Amino acid sequence: MVYVKGPGLYSDIGKKARDLLYRDYQADRKFTLSTLTSNGVAITSSGTQKGDLFLADISTLLKNKNITTDVKVDTNSNVFTTVTIDEPAPGVKAIFSFVAPDQKSGKVELQYLHEYAGINTSLGFTAKPTINFSGVAGNHQATVGTDISFNTATGNFTKLNGGISLISTDLIASLMVNDKGQSVTASYFHTVSPLTNTTVGAEFTHGFKSHENTLTFGAHHMMDLTTAVKARVNNYGKVNALLQHEWRPRSLVTISGEVDTRAIEKSAKIGLAVAIKP
């Protein structure tokens, strides 16, 4: 797809702060191996150990001109199929997906990117589907949008969210109203040093019905060209740290840990992820 410099999609609102604070942290053991066949098919196998439970899947990715087909099979014999068509019309991406043997899982999704707008809509292949729509308007400096879902079977809105994002050269501030107005999340993402990819961020969430507040701070820093460190802490005393090293091009080993400072007698949670790509 031809890149359009615009506001992106609704899911991009607050995304950099979320990635900084939550991406790559885990308490499980995960191993991923990717290979590329001579005819251009990418095959990825992964296994994850969650306590005594072991989950595995294998996926194949084939690109033919502007059509990408992704098929994944997991340990429960579910087959996930996604077909993506780039640019069937200018600025448009079409995505068809379904999960076998679930006959009600079929869905079609359309994305449209414009210089001043981004739209994403999806519809399930059922007699009375849930209709999802999200849209944003703005430019590379400010974005406002909404994300809604309507259940045609019940005639009710199952999701009604809104958000706004303000963007400068090194700072992104976002505000989102979620859960039909029952919660609000404010976040910021700040680039301290582009040279070392040093960034800091924070997220504050308030639940109007539960009266619960969650405040999370995080930071990221590149120690060198191949090694990154991350850390985060929240107001519940949970402290997380992460070390990620690119030991060969596109192949990563990630070690992460979590300590509950309010229950220091409990063992720390340690996660390990190894990803090998050609």
Side-chain angles (χ1 to χ4, degrees):
M1 174 177 279
V2 178
Y3 177 72
V4 178
K5 188 175 182 180
L9 299 172
Y10 182 84
S11 56
D12 294 324
I13 296 180
K15 184 178 185 301
K16 284 198 172 183
R18 290 193 301 272
D19 286 348
L20 169 67
L21 296 174
Y22 305 110
R23 186 176 178 182
D24 294 327
Y25 288 105
Q26 64 174 15
D28 308 315
R29 279 72 169 168
K30 184 175 183 180
F31 180 81
T32 304
L33 174 64
S34 300
T35 58
L36 188 65
T37 65
S38 58
N39 58 355
V41 179
I43 302 175
T44 301
S45 303
S46 68
T48 303
Q49 183 178 2
K50 295 178 176 288
D52 296 331
L53 182 65
F54 183 79
L55 303 174
D57 61 67
I58 183 170
S59 64
T60 60
L61 183 71
L62 174 63
K63 293 184 178 181
N64 182 14
K65 297 182 180 179
N66 67 327
I67 300 177
T68 302
T69 304
D70 187 358
V71 180
K72 182 175 73 172
V73 182
D74 66 11
T75 48
N76 295 319
S77 299
N78 294 312
V79 181
F80 302 80
T81 303
T82 303
V83 179
T84 303
I85 305 175
D86 278 325
E87 295 280 333
V92 175
K93 176 187 287 187
I95 304 171
F96 303 90
S97 61
F98 60 91
V99 181
D102 186 357
Q103 298 180 356
K104 297 182 180 180
S105 63
K107 184 175 70 172
V108 58
E109 179 179 350
L110 292 176
Q111 296 179 2
Y112 175 66
L113 294 177
H114 182 267
E115 185 178 0
Y116 299 108
I119 295 173
N120 188 95
T121 182
S122 65
L123 179 70
F125 292 141
T126 60
K128 294 182 178 180
T130 296
I131 302 173
N132 302 291
F133 172 85
S134 65
V136 294
N139 52 30
H140 61 282
Q141 295 180 325
T143 299
V144 61
T146 187
D147 181 23
I148 61 177
S149 292
F150 181 75
N151 189 327
T152 59
T154 62
N156 296 322
F157 285 98
T158 57
K159 181 168 61 175
L160 186 57
N161 304 329
I164 186 172
S165 184
L166 302 177
I167 306 165
S168 67
T169 304
D170 57 359
L171 180 66
I172 302 175
S174 303
L175 180 67
M176 303 180 72
V177 179
N178 301 315
D179 306 320
K180 301 180 183 179
Q182 295 300 311
S183 68
V184 60
T185 298
S187 66
Y188 88 94
F189 175 88
H190 177 53
T191 302
V192 178
S193 172
L195 184 63
T196 58
N197 197 15
T198 302
T199 58
V200 296
E203 181 184 79
F204 173 76
T205 299
H206 172 72
F208 294 105
K209 183 177 290 186
S210 63
H211 301 290
E212 291 185 358
N213 297 319
T214 302
L215 179 61
T216 305
F217 291 98
H220 173 278
H221 175 72
M222 292 294 297
M223 299 176 64
D224 54 42
L225 293 178
T226 60
T227 307
V229 291
K230 290 176 67 175
R232 75 177 185 209
V233 61
N234 65 20
N235 60 314
Y236 292 103
K238 297 286 183 68
V239 180
N240 297 74
L242 178 151
L243 174 68
Q244 187 173 76
H245 178 64
E246 187 178 23
W247 55 279
R248 53 175 286 181
R250 305 202 321 141
S251 295
L252 302 171
V253 57
T254 306
I255 302 173
S256 57
E258 178 183 282
V259 175
D260 188 348
T261 60
R262 295 186 179 182
I264 200 67
E265 70 280 0
K266 294 183 179 180
S267 299
K269 296 179 180 179
I270 304 296
L272 173 66
V274 178
I276 301 176
K277 296 183 179 181

